[in-house]
Amino acid sequence: MFAHGITIRDDPHRPHGLRSRPFDGEGLPVSPSDIIEDGMLERWLLDSASARQLGLEPTGHAARGVGGGPGVSTSNVFMEPGHVPLETLIADIESGVYVTELMGGGANGVTGDYSRGAAGFRIENGQITTPVAEFTIAGNVKDMFLAMTPANDLEFRYGVNVPTLRVEGMTVASG
């Protein structure tokens, strides 16, 4: 579950999308779909094998690699932008960080605990100020998903695109 208002879409037909395609890795037609709508999971991503296991229909999300059978993959995934500019999103942050780079680490699939090395800039009194490096951000994935607020600055550059996100309540530490 995500915060209210969060929508994540997969659009295999996006013009000039890096992963646009007319059919999936099993030859099935593809169509745009909402994976998360208003914070709730609305669609599973299924190839033929996973669909059979669940007694459902494939969703056109099969992908093939160099070897082996197909697996499940998305095409052009993006999070819908929010309604406020970045400046408004950070205006009331007295002390925080604007993360621009993540390194190593990850999430524990059982507990949801999340920890990554990071670099970016300090936020002081609502303003992005000095660069900072070699700090750690940590939290719990479930809590992070519920605490996301997207800015209105979505740009399509990659196969997975998101606007700037504000995530409340994370722990920041430096060595």
Side-chain angles (χ1 to χ4, degrees), residues 71-151:
V72 175
S73 183
T74 56
S75 60
N76 301 302
V77 175
F78 65 98
M79 179 184 286
E80 286 285 333
H83 303 288
V84 297
L86 173 62
E87 296 77 20
T88 304
L89 200 64
I90 66 170
D92 66 339
I93 298 175
E94 195 172 305
S95 179
V97 291
Y98 180 78
V99 175
T100 58
E101 182 179 353
L102 294 170
M103 303 161 255
N108 180 312
V110 176
T111 65
D113 291 337
Y114 176 90
S115 178
R116 300 277 305 262
F121 296 87
R122 293 247 354 214
I123 299 173
E124 298 174 287
N125 300 314
Q127 298 294 316
I128 296 174
T129 62
T130 57
V132 290
E134 298 182 12
F135 62 93
T136 301
I137 59 171
N140 184 278
V141 173
K142 180 181 170 190
D143 297 334
M144 291 164 56
F145 286 171
L146 290 171
M148 286 182 178
T149 304

